[in-house]
Amino acid sequence: MAFQAVGVGFTPNGIQGGAKMKMLSDLQFDWGQKIQLTFKAGTQTYISFDCQGVNEVSIKMEAKLCRDIAIPINPGTFERDDDAYVTGTVVMASAGWGDFVGDISFSPFEVPHREGWAFSVQGAVFDFSEAITPNTVEFPRGYSHPDLNIDNREGRFYPEWRGIFLKAARVKIPDKLTGRTAENSVTVGANHLIFDQTGFSGDIFATNVLGLDTGRVDSWAFSIDSVAIGAQSNQFHHVTLNGE
């Protein structure tokens, strides 16, 4: 492992201000027989220190999963990619034991022996730190929490907030179960999910629920293109319904 620190200041009493040592080259190793991990070099893998010692550690890591665990798919056609692997990116930072933040995303995938069930996860943040909250965490307007004022957040961040945030998750239901094609397959998902001390917040939705060719209300053709239900702090907030 090679690290480099540039522009470190010294005084007769020790280090002047703070400094960062960033990792210069990737470090790759196997975790068991199914997962390959790579610590990625660059600005997101570093050790920050000053005269008092180490005050922050950050790691950017890539995980490549064996095809026995997950199989990558094309996000547009939902076809399996026989020449690739499912990869996940993890960025974690910590100022101390039990005080860390992690950001996780995975490329779309299927589980072996469950063909047609497609999963994708984007922007999952695990925030257990009172010192930092990533700016990728998005709070809905009017959201009530003791550690933030969402209606007056211009230029402000909320490091005290702790919880779990999920930007987007999708599950495509196999077409053979719904009688659909890849162009109008049924998808269930969630957007901007928040789990914290106030409970659950976010939107749960489904698309291509009911087509005009099968939906009927008496003699009228009826479709449900999408339906979504929103909650804030464990309370019902809104519902939207689109169709023809």
Side-chain angles (χ1 to χ4, degrees), residues 94-111:
S94 176
W97 181 255
D99 188 67
F100 69 90
V101 173
D103 192 329
I104 305 172
S105 292
F106 276 95
S107 55
F109 64 92
E110 285 183 353
V111 178

Side-chain angles (χ1 to χ4, degrees), residues 15-239:
I15 297 175
Q16 182 181 30
K20 280 186 179 180
M21 291 193 302
K22 64 179 181 179
M23 200 161 90
L24 295 180
S25 57
D26 290 352
L27 178 65
Q28 189 177 91
F29 60 95
D30 294 332
W31 188 23
Q33 298 180 339
K34 303 293 186 181
I35 301 176
Q36 184 182 78
L37 299 179
T38 303
F39 287 169
K40 304 295 291 184
T43 57
Q44 290 182 289
T45 301
Y46 63 83
I47 300 172
S48 177
F49 61 95
D50 56 22
C51 279
Q52 306 302 316
V54 175
N55 53 40
E56 186 178 43
V57 176
S58 177
I59 298 173
K60 181 178 181 179
M61 183 170 59
E62 183 179 88
K64 185 162 68 173
L65 307 183
C66 175
R67 293 176 66 89
D68 291 344
I69 299 177
I71 299 174
I73 60 172
N74 184 299
T77 63
F78 299 106
E79 295 179 352
R80 292 189 173 189
D81 189 340
D82 296 328
D83 300 319
Y85 293 90
V86 175
T87 58
T89 301
V90 182
V91 179
M92 295 188 297
S94 176
W97 181 255
D99 188 67
F100 69 90
V101 173
D103 192 329
I104 305 172
S105 292
F106 276 95
S107 55
F109 64 92
E110 285 183 353
V111 178
H113 313 302
R114 293 292 183 270
E115 189 171 356
W117 291 91
F119 301 85
S120 65
V121 177
Q122 295 179 336
V125 176
F126 298 83
D127 183 352
F128 300 104
S129 170
E130 293 185 350
I132 183 174
T133 291
N135 55 16
T136 54
V137 177
E138 301 174 9
F139 300 103
R141 182 164 297 278
Y143 184 68
S144 178
H145 191 281
D147 291 332
L148 55 90
N149 179 0
I150 201 63
D151 291 321
N152 185 23
R153 61 179 180 177
E154 297 297 330
R156 292 187 56 193
F157 298 100
Y158 301 94
E160 298 87 358
W161 180 84
R162 294 192 296 177
I164 298 173
F165 171 78
L166 179 60
K167 184 174 183 179
R170 303 285 188 275
V171 180
K172 172 187 167 294
I173 299 175
D175 297 331
K176 62 183 179 182
L177 296 181
T178 62
R180 303 297 182 85
T181 63
E183 290 75 20
N184 62 355
S185 58
V186 178
T187 300
V188 179
N191 287 327
H192 299 92
L193 298 189
I194 295 175
F195 300 90
D196 59 20
Q197 70 185 69
T198 69
F200 163 77
S201 300
D203 290 330
I204 307 294
F205 70 89
T207 61
N208 297 321
V209 179
L210 187 64
L212 276 174
D213 54 340
T214 56
R216 290 292 182 272
V217 177
D218 197 4
S219 60
W220 289 66
F222 181 78
S223 75
I224 300 178
D225 298 331
S226 65
V227 59
I229 299 175
Q232 280 194 21
S233 302
N234 281 347
Q235 300 295 320
F236 171 80
H237 187 265
H238 63 269
V239 61

